[in-house]
Amino acid sequence: MSTRLQKGGRLIDRSTRAEFTFNGRRLIGHAGDTLASALLANDQMLVGRSFKYHRPRGIVAAGPEEPNALVNLGRADRLEPNQRATTTELYAGLEAASQNHWPSLDFDIGVVNNYLARFLPAGFYYKTFIHPRAAWKHLFEPIIRQSAGLGSAPKETDADRYEFVYAFCDVLIIGGGIAGLQAALTAGQAGKRVILLEQTAHWGGRAVVDGDTVENESAEEWVTSAVDALKTMENVTLRNRCMGAGVYDHGYVLANERLADHTPGDGRPKQRVWRIRAGHIISATGAIERPLSFAGNDIPGVMLAASVRDYVVNYAVSPGDRTVVVTNNDDAYLTAITLVEAGLSVPVVLDARAQADGPLPSRARALGIRVETGRGIASVKGGKRVTGVQICLQAGEGAVMEEIACDAVAMSGGWSPVVHLWSHCGGKLIWSETLSAFVPDSARPPLNHDGSAMVSCVGAAAGVYDPADIIAGTDSDGAATAIVPVWMMPQGAPIGLRSKMWLDYQNDVKVSDVQLAAREGYESVEHTKRYTTLGMATDQGKLSNINGLAVLSQALGAEIPQVGTTTFRPPYTPVTIGALAGEARGEIFQPLRRTPMHDWHDQNGAYWEPVGLWRRPYCYPRAGETHDQAVQREVINTREKLGLLDASTLGKIIVKGPDAGRFLDMLYTNMMSNLAVGKCRYGLMCNEQGFLSDDGVVARIDEDTWLCHTTSGGADRIHGWMEDWLQCEWWDWKVYTANVTEQYAQVAVVGPNARKLLEKIGGMDVSKEALPFMQWADGSLGGFPVRVYRISFSGELSYEIAIPASHGAAFWDMLHREGAEFGAMPYGTECLHVLRAEKGFIMIGDETDGTVTPLDLGLGWAVSKKKADFLGKRGMERTYLADPERWKLVGLETLDGSVLSDGAYAVAPGTNENGQRNTEGRVTSTYYSPTLKKGIAMGLIKNGPDRMGEVVELNKVDGGTVKARIVDAVFFDKEGEKGNA
Amino acid sequence: MHNPVSALGGEMFEGFATIREVGPMGMITLRCKMDEKPLATTLKKLGFSLPDQRRISHGKDRSAGWMSPDELLLILPYADVAATMEGLASGLAKTHHLAADVSDARAMFRIEGEKADQVLAKLCPVDLKTLAPAELRRTRAAQVAAAFWAQDGGYTLVSFRSVAGYVMGILRHAAAKGAEI
Amino acid sequence: MLTLQCPYCGVQADETELSPGYEAHLKRFGPGSTPEEFESYMFARKNPKGVHFERWRHAYGCGKWFLAARDTNTLEVFGTYPAQSSAPPADLIAKIKQKRPDWEGYK
């Protein structure tokens, strides 16, 4: 059984107890424990069930490579699924629950899959997707959905806060082992700006666990003095609990700092994502030990050899009293030595190699540990925990020579350098025969913006393991770390054993599955990965990839480098979505643009509509009113009395200079250069294809100044469009622009009583004579400085009044106060739409969709025939756009007075080649007109203007069609008398 | 006359740094080639001095910030805007330029305290350590455009007025107690 | 996530401060141009693996458009230059040729 030892544990504080629960059971650990070490200390060997077969699984590793020990951590608004117990720091009150079992961890009904294993082979999902088709939906999927899966998704809003921080440095070092510390010392002493990141809470990596000697000191002493030295350097930033997640273009690195994971609710951000720009990145990310593929290598109690060492040395936890060590390299002997020195029993070290004479094997033998070379494990005995191993010849087929009782197995298949960060942005790998591992190919690094190498690797990440080599910065000759590759144990294992050799613990992929994939023709490692799901679990194959690759290459009879690796993609370990969202949650999820009158709207019951990032009142429903009723009331009130609209979102751009007129003539389809000072003109803008892009009223301010109004939400785009042409095409033209959209609040005062209100307020002459339709004037109203435009988007007598934004709210208040006697009411965007549709005014985005020309909309009068050139002129000349059969704008009036559906199509006889009903047009705007008391619509109909009076059929959302007559798009006040009043 | 109202009415937040919305502040966008001779003299007459590339120059109660090769942001007391606009119009009458009052189009914030830089570091992709003393940096703060510079032991940040509430929100978040870097 | 130096304000700008403008040095064809010329202006776009010239705007910075030469494969940036250029500067072309001897040159 696994237990806490009486002595030792360099990371735990025995004086501080931490009570926690696992599946509701109360357990005790110590400060400094990880959840994994605390579970093992309580003999909780079984921690989860595998994904497919629901086999019992225990802790395998002690770091981020752990595939099995995933838990639901916390609860309610602090519940996080799929947290690795090995990287979860223990704290008092921690609640953890195992995943993927039903009904309980100890008794899991899904384990029946285990006995059906030969019916659930590699590619099971793909195969059942194909034959029989119905079986997937009705049979397999419901069962699989019930029994498979990882943790449960949290249902409550995350209680925690997250944030980003942008950081910059010359050298970013990822990994706080001795290689990383040494790199930081070197760079720091050279005066570089350095950031050093370590994913765990502790510095020193493996060296401090393994008791290495570094520069004649113990690793522990060396690390302490290195960290102390770095802390004194102002140019060095040290961060632990901070995982280098991904390397991207031009030295951009994302790192995730776990600030309060171990102190939940202490007020700090839970996690912080570092967005780092580094001149150079040094990956000191170490190496990950590989499992060995022998039958039963997934039974709880089978662990990585170095991880066993971690538990004993760091946490004083022994995974078992009797541990069999099985290896193909010298390093695992240190585990045997460590165990024996801790007073535990190592019945045998099984070494697959023919010889083992290095210093560590010699030390082990000197301690009296039995060492058997040329031997391996035929099979591990046990169910929910290891009970023993059967020993065989590595070179044979698994004939059992001896059975040894034990309660743990420490395995080592060699080490794989963590080359993820090197590879994320294109660094290439080479296969090292000596190390039996992929190592970074320093001749083919990922490149920085200047073409220089962006990343370099040091220490174990580069395949250099000897502390002396790491400190000296020399390449290791590899002699000390040489291993004999063992991809299967025993080498000639029959299918019965091979189908019990696990490669990917989390996704239940076995040696036999990869071999099957190879037999079925999967030669590419990327295809095999997807077919078998090898390496596709949350651990992204940290333990399984190289072993799986080697099995595939053997099955294909190819060399490992020829088969290649799958792609390494960020993040290195999973990062929670909350961290990646940073501050963008709740109120500050997205910028909300507010007009100066926003608060008034809010207080007066506005029902909001998003318009770009703006929020505009859609309508102002009164008590008991539906939105429709509110809109109708607003329309009738504006037509009969007085409506007030917050039009502040309208874009306003000043264009000024000797060439401004010429410039605007290029930008608009009609003439703007000949607009008289003091007057306004409606204009259209097209893109170069001749399609409508924006519209608005232009006012001539003085001899060389124009003010261009754009659509709401179009201001930034059109300002950018203007600057693009001025900077990139006509850069010798003397024109300046300024986007002054937000400088002004703008209010439309609309309706028969509009003039009465302004005259009451007083301050300037707004009479028909002094300020006729389509003119503007500067002045003051009620003591406010204003610019008044006589323009109308409603057909009513209308003044649009611009006022500095800092006075907007007060001015708006005054209009309501003084306008009460004239029936003033605010109106929203929907009322605005109805008013403009009754008048047949187009709306960019309704009547246009990026494929509609001014001519399609009957706006030929606003397209100059005199001008030699303007943006979109050449595009409009294309034969396709001159086709008389194009869909063109008309009004539509249903015969029964009903309101057409938004976007309804006009159906035509026959069907197209896809068997769909032919169409001959579509509805672009459709409303109930309270003024006319019937449905009105605008639409684009094939050849429409030539078909006045014809009846077309338009489809309905719920099936069927409705008949509508083609009419003039101007439904109300065709002579325009009201607006000119 | 009516008093102008700033976007947030002087909202304030005390975290590990202090955030204050300030204003209303007078601001003028001036577009003009920097090497036009009348520019420097006109600015001087109006109490400003021509800033170098990416710098802000401070006068008695006013500043001139370099926004682009042909754009300055003049910052001055709100009440002085009209007179300054007139001064620019006459001084630059024969020079191709555009001057626009943008006082009401902007919101201005002060970020103060020993760790004020940390607030900006969380929101702006800018290397604050390499920022020159009088550097005006245009960038983004989270999702919106912003400009800032170091001043009086803290930072002054300018954004568009319509997003003032959003900017206050992200500044509060970044400056929250316990969130020191 | 590229960084490009804005030639107008000198900032080494993060990609999130920039907005892209696609291929540089397009020749505008207006009224009177042939369908082929208009097509070349409007639609025909290069998509090289290697040296490419692009338009970028320092949208969150000084607001200026500029041009950049970079390798679309390695993301190496050869240089940036003002938008008021009808062809890449000669010294930039020479620098690219030196770094990419196989490059067919600017056309």
Side-chain angles (χ1 to χ4, degrees):
Chain A
M1 62 183 285
S2 63
T3 185
R4 182 86 68 186
L5 300 168
Q6 287 303 311
K7 283 188 301 189
R10 51 182 288 277
L11 298 182
I12 56 164
D13 171 10
R14 287 181 193 261
S15 65
T16 311
R17 286 153 53 99
E19 191 174 302
F20 68 104
T21 66
F22 180 71
N23 288 343
R25 199 154 69 91
R26 289 166 62 156
L27 303 170
I28 303 286
H30 290 302
D33 261 324
T34 63
L35 176 57
S37 69
L39 287 170
L40 286 174
N42 286 278
D43 193 31
Q44 185 66 48
M45 267 284 183
L46 176 64
V47 291
R49 294 271 174 173
S50 66
F51 194 78
K52 197 156 118 184
Y53 304 131
H54 290 243
R55 284 173 65 92
R57 288 288 161 76
I59 295 161
V60 173
E65 69 272 33
E66 172 62 36
N68 290 341
L70 300 183
V71 296
N72 276 326
L73 194 65
R75 66 183 161 91
D77 57 3
R78 286 207 164 88
L79 170 67
E80 274 195 290
N82 305 328
Q83 295 302 295
R84 285 170 306 284
T86 50
T87 56
T88 300
E89 293 177 50
L90 191 71
Y91 53 86
L94 180 149
E95 294 176 51
S98 57
Q99 306 182 155
N100 198 30
H101 56 72
W102 184 76
S104 79
L105 179 61
D106 274 312
F107 175 74
D108 184 341
I109 225 158
V111 76
V112 71
N113 289 356
N114 192 20
Y115 305 108
L116 298 174
R118 70 194 175 91
F119 303 110
L120 296 169
F124 163 76
Y125 294 88
Y126 297 104
K127 285 163 181 160
T128 44
F129 266 131
I130 304 298
H131 306 294
R133 293 225 170 217
W136 175 256
K137 188 173 173 190
H138 299 294
L139 181 62
F140 296 118
E141 189 181 355
I143 295 173
I144 289 168
R145 288 255 176 258
Q146 177 64 34
S147 59
L150 293 164
S152 44
K155 292 190 174 64
E156 293 182 32
T157 305
D158 191 339
D160 280 303
R161 38 192 286 129
Y162 303 86
E163 64 184 23
F164 299 140
V165 63
Y166 297 88
F168 299 79
C169 61
D170 300 319
V171 184
L172 169 67
I173 299 148
I174 299 167
I178 58 167
L181 290 166
Q182 176 63 23
L185 285 170
T186 307
Q189 282 154 359
K192 309 264 195 207
R193 284 173 73 188
V194 177
I195 298 176
L196 172 62
L197 306 179
E198 162 56 37
Q199 63 185 348
T200 72
H202 307 284
W203 302 99
R206 279 231 67 78
V208 287
V209 181
D210 292 349
D212 289 344
T213 300
V214 185
E215 292 185 304
N216 303 318
E217 283 181 291
S218 76
E220 194 93 48
E221 288 164 348
W222 186 90
V223 166
T224 305
S225 53
V227 171
D228 288 346
L230 289 168
K231 280 181 178 163
T232 64
M233 297 185 197
E234 277 190 8
N235 52 328
V236 176
T237 303
L238 296 168
R239 287 277 151 176
N240 59 10
R241 297 192 176 97
C242 192
M243 182 265 300
V247 172
Y248 305 83
D249 313 330
H250 293 188
Y252 186 61
V253 174
L254 283 188
N256 188 33
E257 183 179 15
R258 296 155 71 102
L259 285 169
D261 276 13
H262 60 298
T263 55
D266 74 347
R268 293 184 298 165
K270 179 177 167 66
Q271 294 177 12
R272 175 185 291 143
V273 167
W274 287 68
R275 305 172 68 160
I276 305 170
R277 275 293 170 185
H280 188 75
I281 298 152
I282 296 179
S283 172
T285 42
I288 290 176
E289 196 167 9
R290 293 194 292 252
L292 284 166
S293 298
F294 47 82
N297 64 350
D298 70 326
I299 294 171
V302 179
M303 298 173 69
L304 294 170
S307 299
V308 168
R309 225 144 74 207
D310 287 336
Y311 286 111
V312 173
V313 175
N314 284 339
Y315 310 105
V317 166
S318 81
D321 297 345
R322 286 167 61 81
T323 304
V324 168
V325 176
V326 54
T327 184
N328 66 343
N329 62 73
D330 283 1
D331 186 67
Y333 285 83
L334 190 55
T335 300
I337 294 163
T338 304
L339 287 167
V340 169
E341 285 178 348
L344 298 158
S345 159
V346 176
V348 66
V349 176
L350 302 170
D351 195 324
R353 299 172 297 181
Q355 274 185 302
D357 303 323
L360 283 171
S362 306
R363 249 177 83 194
R365 287 194 182 93
L367 279 171
I369 299 171
R370 177 184 169 199
V371 174
E372 296 284 349
T373 54
R375 299 286 193 276
I377 290 177
S379 184
V380 179
K381 310 303 288 179
K384 287 179 196 160
R385 62 171 67 206
V386 170
T387 56
V389 294
Q390 295 177 328
I391 298 172
C392 65
L393 286 175
Q394 168 59 17
E397 294 184 355
V400 178
M401 305 167 71
E402 184 183 347
E403 192 165 322
I404 294 182
C406 63
D407 48 11
V409 176
M411 62 181 165
S412 178
W415 293 79
S416 296
V418 175
V419 293
H420 298 63
L421 299 179
W422 168 265
S423 304
H424 281 167
C425 216
K428 302 288 187 261
L429 303 173
I430 43 171
W431 180 254
S432 160
E433 292 291 346
T434 351
L435 300 171
S436 280
F438 279 106
V439 294
D441 180 357
S442 54
R444 294 179 298 163
L447 299 182
N448 216 331
H449 63 91
D450 56 359
S452 65
M454 184 167 81
V455 183
S456 49
C457 294
V458 296
V464 178
Y465 295 95
D466 186 335
D469 288 330
I470 290 170
I471 298 300
T474 50
D475 276 345
S476 168
D477 61 2
T481 41
I483 69 170
V484 173
V486 170
W487 305 121
M488 211 158 70
M489 180 176 274
Q491 166 185 305
I495 181 68
L497 293 182
R498 280 184 277 137
S499 58
K500 294 288 178 202
M501 293 177 184
W502 260 260
L503 291 168
D504 185 322
Y505 294 101
Q506 204 176 117
N507 268 359
D508 268 331
V509 182
K510 299 157 294 175
V511 168
S512 55
D513 294 319
V514 172
Q515 290 169 333
L516 175 66
R519 280 204 305 283
E520 291 184 345
Y522 286 87
E523 294 183 3
S524 148
V525 61
E526 294 282 6
H527 289 159
T528 304
K529 165 179 167 174
R530 282 152 185 84
Y531 190 60
T532 60
T533 71
L534 176 85
M536 288 174 68
T538 63
D539 61 344
Q540 289 283 289
K542 288 188 177 63
L543 296 187
S544 60
N545 275 349
I546 299 300
N547 285 349
L549 179 61
V551 169
L552 179 66
S553 72
Q554 283 190 335
L556 294 172
E559 297 294 320
I560 288 175
Q562 269 64 64
V563 175
T565 62
T566 52
T567 310
F568 292 90
R569 290 195 178 85
Y572 174 60
T573 61
V575 178
T576 190
I577 296 288
L580 295 174
E583 84 290 329
R585 282 178 66 194
E587 287 285 304
I588 51 173
F589 169 67
Q590 200 179 35
L592 175 65
R593 299 179 74 181
R594 295 171 170 90
T595 74
M597 291 83 103
H598 186 94
D599 290 347
W600 189 96
H601 303 320
D602 217 19
Q603 288 151 16
N604 285 271
Y607 171 69
W608 294 105
E609 175 183 45
V611 179
L613 294 176
W614 294 103
R615 231 14 85 78
R616 298 189 73 184
Y618 174 93
C619 62
Y620 301 82
R622 294 177 170 176
E625 259 183 356
T626 65
H627 295 162
D628 280 350
Q629 288 166 339
V631 170
Q632 289 172 27
R633 171 180 50 75
E634 290 171 14
V635 169
I636 288 167
N637 186 71
T638 305
R639 288 264 182 248
E640 294 179 356
K641 294 175 188 160
L642 183 56
L644 299 172
L645 174 77
D646 178 0
S648 307
T649 58
L650 213 62
K652 307 158 202 89
I653 301 168
I654 299 173
V655 179
K656 184 181 181 222
D659 293 313
R662 179 189 181 196
F663 174 62
L664 292 177
D665 282 349
M666 284 302 292
L667 231 63
Y668 286 91
T669 61
N670 45 346
M671 292 288 267
M672 288 298 169
S673 57
N674 62 2
L675 180 63
V677 172
K679 296 209 164 163
C680 303
R681 183 174 289 165
Y682 174 71
L684 303 174
M685 278 192 219
C686 286
N687 61 22
E688 276 284 66
Q689 295 210 50
F691 296 130
L692 267 171
S693 133
D694 208 78
D695 69 347
V697 170
V698 178
R700 180 86 176 256
I701 305 301
D702 61 33
E703 192 47 39
D704 63 356
T705 309
W706 282 253
L707 184 116
C708 303
H709 287 108
T710 75
T711 53
S712 287
D716 291 334
R717 181 174 56 88
I718 296 301
H719 185 233
W721 173 247
M722 289 177 171
E723 283 294 324
D724 191 350
W725 287 101
L726 287 171
Q727 291 177 33
C728 304
E729 190 73 19
W730 305 311
W731 61 73
D732 51 337
W733 294 14
K734 288 189 165 176
V735 182
Y736 284 126
T737 69
N739 183 353
V740 293
T741 300
E742 300 203 5
Q743 170 68 14
Y744 301 100
Q746 197 137 321
V747 182
V749 180
V750 182
N753 295 341
R755 185 174 291 129
K756 287 181 206 159
L757 171 58
L758 301 190
E759 283 173 343
K760 176 187 173 193
I761 291 167
M764 64 190 287
D765 188 351
V766 294
S767 66
K768 184 178 179 178
E769 296 68 32
L771 187 55
F773 187 50
M774 295 308 269
Q775 295 204 15
W776 64 271
D778 281 340
S780 78
L781 283 169
F784 291 98
V786 293
R787 175 172 288 165
V788 183
Y789 304 89
R790 263 299 301 278
I791 54 180
S792 176
F793 196 42
S794 56
E796 293 301 320
L797 171 62
S798 164
Y799 297 84
E800 288 204 10
I801 302 166
I803 175 162
S806 64
H807 296 295
F811 184 69
W812 176 258
D813 276 345
M814 179 190 69
L815 290 177
H816 280 278
R817 202 170 52 241
E818 303 298 330
E821 62 174 292
F822 305 112
M825 276 186 202
Y827 69 89
T829 52
E830 187 64 2
C831 171
L832 171 153
H833 276 276
V834 175
L835 295 173
R836 66 94 191 167
E838 288 175 343
K839 284 292 293 177
F841 294 147
I842 65 133
M843 178 70 91
I844 296 291
D846 284 343
E847 274 62 46
T848 71
D849 64 356
T851 69
V852 173
T853 70
L855 298 180
D856 293 339
L857 298 185
L859 297 170
W861 57 269
V863 180
S864 167
K865 288 163 197 73
K866 283 192 295 188
K867 290 195 288 186
D869 192 5
F870 58 82
L871 297 181
K873 183 174 170 72
R874 175 62 184 86
M876 276 183 228
E877 288 168 357
R878 288 179 291 170
T879 49
Y880 171 73
L881 296 182
D883 182 357
E885 299 277 274
R886 278 181 70 80
W887 294 3
K888 290 184 178 154
L889 190 76
V890 290
L892 293 167
E893 229 174 54
T894 50
L895 301 191
D896 61 3
S898 63
V899 180
L900 288 168
S901 305
D902 244 321
Y905 274 88
V907 295
T911 55
N912 67 15
E913 59 269 31
N914 297 321
Q916 297 157 328
R917 187 73 185 266
N918 283 330
T919 58
E920 58 170 347
R922 63 186 167 84
V923 170
T924 55
S925 290
T926 170
Y927 302 97
Y928 173 74
S929 163
T931 316
L932 305 170
K933 301 200 165 33
K934 62 181 178 185
I936 60 165
M938 287 191 273
L940 293 161
I941 301 289
K942 182 176 172 182
N943 224 351
D946 294 337
R947 295 167 63 186
M948 284 296 155
E950 262 186 51
V951 172
V952 290
E953 277 187 65
L954 295 119
N955 61 5
K956 295 201 286 191
V957 174
D958 51 1
T961 58
V962 58
K963 287 190 166 70
R965 188 179 320 278
I966 300 176
V967 297
D968 183 5
V970 184
F971 291 92
F972 177 73
D973 188 24
K974 287 184 199 290
E975 286 70 41
E977 287 171 1
K978 292 195 84 181
N980 278 320
Chain B
M1 271 309 285
H2 305 272
N3 289 327
V5 180
S6 72
L8 303 178
E11 194 175 327
M12 191 169 159
F13 173 74
E14 290 273 7
F16 71 77
T18 302
I19 314 292
R20 286 188 295 131
E21 193 241 358
V22 292
M25 182 63 73
M27 287 191 213
I28 295 169
T29 284
L30 178 59
R31 297 205 54 186
C32 185
K33 278 192 180 155
M34 302 290 166
D35 54 6
E36 295 275 12
K37 285 218 175 79
L39 178 64
T41 48
T42 304
L43 287 179
K44 198 172 169 198
K45 208 181 290 179
L46 296 168
F48 300 96
S49 59
L50 194 60
D52 291 334
Q53 185 193 46
R54 278 205 340 261
R55 295 293 184 274
I56 183 164
S57 66
H58 301 290
K60 195 166 108 287
D61 58 355
R62 55 200 63 202
S63 311
W66 189 98
M67 299 290 273
S68 90
D70 56 8
E71 183 179 341
L72 296 177
L73 180 65
L74 306 182
I75 301 164
L76 65 161
Y78 194 89
D80 294 356
V81 170
T84 305
M85 286 289 282
E86 278 169 29
L88 290 169
S90 60
L92 298 173
K94 291 190 177 134
T95 309
H96 171 43
H97 78 284
L98 184 163
D101 176 4
V102 293
S103 314
D104 288 7
R106 306 280 158 83
M108 192 184 253
F109 298 87
R110 282 287 297 163
I111 304 157
E112 289 161 341
E114 225 170 273
K115 293 174 179 169
D117 57 333
Q118 295 188 4
V119 177
L120 289 176
K122 293 180 188 183
L123 302 171
C124 305
V126 174
D127 187 354
L128 296 164
K129 287 250 167 58
T130 59
L131 211 65
E135 183 164 351
L136 179 155
R137 183 63 151 87
R138 297 181 74 179
T139 181
R140 62 180 176 82
Q143 301 176 54
V144 295
F148 65 81
W149 58 90
Q151 194 175 1
D152 305 332
Y155 291 89
T156 303
L157 181 141
V158 174
S159 76
F160 283 106
R161 182 185 182 108
S162 69
V163 293
Y166 170 80
V167 172
M168 190 70 197
I170 57 175
L171 290 170
R172 279 170 174 272
H173 186 91
K177 283 201 174 103
E180 295 90 336
I181 295 169
Chain C
M1 277 280 280
L2 310 179
T3 53
L4 294 171
Q5 186 173 42
C6 172
Y8 293 98
C9 67
V11 163
Q12 185 75 30
D14 191 277
E15 191 173 326
T16 60
E17 286 190 354
L18 305 169
S19 57
Y22 319 108
E23 190 177 328
H25 302 305
L26 294 175
K27 177 170 166 42
R28 178 171 185 262
F29 284 99
S33 57
T34 65
E36 290 71 28
E37 287 169 333
F38 187 68
E39 182 194 23
S40 76
Y41 162 50
M42 209 70 252
F43 303 114
R45 292 292 178 274
K46 293 179 186 132
N47 186 21
K49 180 178 182 180
V51 180
H52 195 38
F53 298 86
E54 293 172 320
R55 284 154 33 89
W56 289 86
R57 187 182 185 208
H58 194 190
Y60 281 99
C62 69
K64 294 300 180 196
W65 283 95
F66 62 89
L67 307 179
R70 69 178 179 106
D71 187 317
T72 58
N73 186 32
T74 65
L75 304 186
E76 179 172 356
V77 178
F78 303 112
T80 56
Y81 52 102
Q84 295 80 41
S85 320
S86 41
D91 56 342
L92 179 61
I93 298 238
K95 180 181 171 188
I96 300 171
K97 279 209 166 126
Q98 192 201 343
K99 290 196 162 203
R100 298 284 187 280
D102 295 339
W103 179 48
E104 59 194 10
Y106 173 74
K107 282 191 284 217

